[in-house]
Amino acid sequence: MRKVIEKKVYDTETAILIAEYWNGLGQGDFRYYEESLYKTRKCGYFLYGSGGPLTKYSESNGNQTWGISTIIPLSKEEAYEWLENNGETEAIEEYFSNDIDEA
């Protein structure tokens, strides 16, 4: 997917895939969603997300709701937080090694 947001191009084909999350539900389930965290060549971060009509990846028009796919730009801090919340320790150590310390 390729999308321009605030004069910046986000492209899943050219960005580096850092980590992925899937909630384990099938695509036919209205609660299904998946997210992929990417890093651009210019060190920007974004999520590519898709999901069913009962997730944050949905749109409505009157009495109809459907699932969508979209790109969400993230700050470096938001990308780190997403990795931490999803238990992606190896990705944190690889992409954020300068931001973490030994306890």
Side-chain angles (χ1 to χ4, degrees), residues 27-46:
Q27 289 185 351
D29 192 305
F30 286 178
R31 297 166 296 149
Y32 158 86
Y33 79 94
E34 63 182 331
E35 296 176 322
S36 301
L37 178 65
Y38 288 88
K39 182 179 180 179
T40 68
R41 286 181 264 169
K42 292 190 174 185
C43 295
Y45 296 90
F46 67 93

Side-chain angles (χ1 to χ4, degrees), residues 38-63:
Y38 288 88
K39 182 179 180 179
T40 68
R41 286 181 264 169
K42 292 190 174 185
C43 295
Y45 296 90
F46 67 93
L47 276 181
Y48 167 76
S50 64
L54 295 179
T55 69
K56 62 182 175 181
Y57 299 107
S58 65
E59 288 183 352
S60 296
N61 183 7
N63 61 354

Side-chain angles (χ1 to χ4, degrees), residues 60-94:
S60 296
N61 183 7
N63 61 354
Q64 292 183 332
T65 303
W66 57 92
I68 63 166
S69 297
T70 192
I71 287 178
I72 303 168
L74 299 177
S75 67
K76 182 177 180 181
E77 293 77 19
E78 290 169 326
Y80 176 86
E81 185 176 320
W82 186 92
L83 289 169
E84 194 172 82
N85 289 340
N86 287 290
E88 294 289 344
T89 302
E90 289 179 21
I92 290 171
E93 290 173 339
E94 182 176 349

Side-chain angles (χ1 to χ4, degrees), residues 16-18 39 45 90-97 99:
I16 299 166
L17 176 61
I18 297 175
K39 182 179 180 179
Y45 296 90
E90 289 179 21
I92 290 171
E93 290 173 339
E94 182 176 349
Y95 291 96
F96 293 89
S97 60
D99 300 319

